[in-house]
Amino acid sequence: GSLLQKEYDVVALQIGGSDRMEGKSVEQYGADFEALLKLALTKTGGDASRIFVLSIPDSGAAPADVATGIDAYNSVNKDLAAANGIGYVDITAISRKGATDASLITWDGVYPSAKMYREWVSLMVDDVTAALDAKG
């Protein structure tokens, strides 16, 4: 069956990088993000404690206007997560270390390395584990 027909133990939601690069307005991003949060809630049986929103990463290589846009998008996704009682994991600060620490970025200078992914996971592993334990 379709992935959208299933229920999930945990949902992690991270969108917006491509939206920002394409110039989508903050308002449109917010509307799209809110729709995805509502869908995520249906996929966890309405249990917000099993959903985690991750901020949009920024490799630090993006032009200043893109970084400012990422911050605006992250403000929206953080506010919407809070309004819906959903956990929020801010990975943006770690991702911006990639501008000065090449070990956090892949060879192309854009994408996160395995090391950066490990840092992101370390920020959320305890909360995700607790959500899974609570579900039983």
Side-chain angles (χ1 to χ4, degrees), residues 15-106:
I15 67 159
S18 295
D19 294 322
R20 179 63 195 136
M21 295 303 289
E22 293 169 5
K24 186 177 283 188
S25 72
V26 172
E27 294 77 17
Q28 184 61 55
Y29 171 77
D32 293 348
F33 193 85
E34 187 167 25
L36 287 171
L37 279 183
K38 290 181 188 305
L39 176 62
L41 281 165
T42 69
K43 299 294 126 194
T44 61
D47 187 350
S49 72
R50 293 174 21 219
I51 302 170
F52 299 88
V53 170
L54 284 77
S55 65
I56 302 165
D58 176 1
S59 69
D65 65 320
V66 172
T68 300
I70 287 171
D71 291 342
Y73 277 26
N74 280 334
S75 178
V76 168
N77 62 37
K78 185 176 185 177
D79 290 349
L80 287 170
N84 287 279
I86 293 170
Y88 190 81
V89 182
D90 184 351
I91 63 167
T92 308
I94 291 172
S95 71
R96 287 183 171 147
K97 291 180 188 177
T100 57
D101 182 349
S103 72
L104 295 173
I105 303 294
T106 56

Side-chain angles (χ1 to χ4, degrees), residues 3-13 39-53 86-87 124-136:
L3 292 176
L4 293 179
Q5 295 173 339
K6 298 179 187 262
E7 187 171 303
Y8 296 93
D9 294 336
V10 172
V11 174
L13 182 59
L39 176 62
L41 281 165
T42 69
K43 299 294 126 194
T44 61
D47 187 350
S49 72
R50 293 174 21 219
I51 302 170
F52 299 88
V53 170
I86 293 170
M124 61 189 291
V125 67
D126 292 341
D127 292 334
V128 171
T129 301
L132 290 169
D133 288 346
K135 183 178 184 305

Side-chain angles (χ1 to χ4, degrees), residues 54 89 91 116-126 128:
L54 284 77
V89 182
I91 63 167
M116 186 181 296
Y117 279 117
R118 279 191 299 275
E119 290 195 28
W120 295 354
V121 168
S122 73
L123 292 176
M124 61 189 291
V125 67
D126 292 341
V128 171

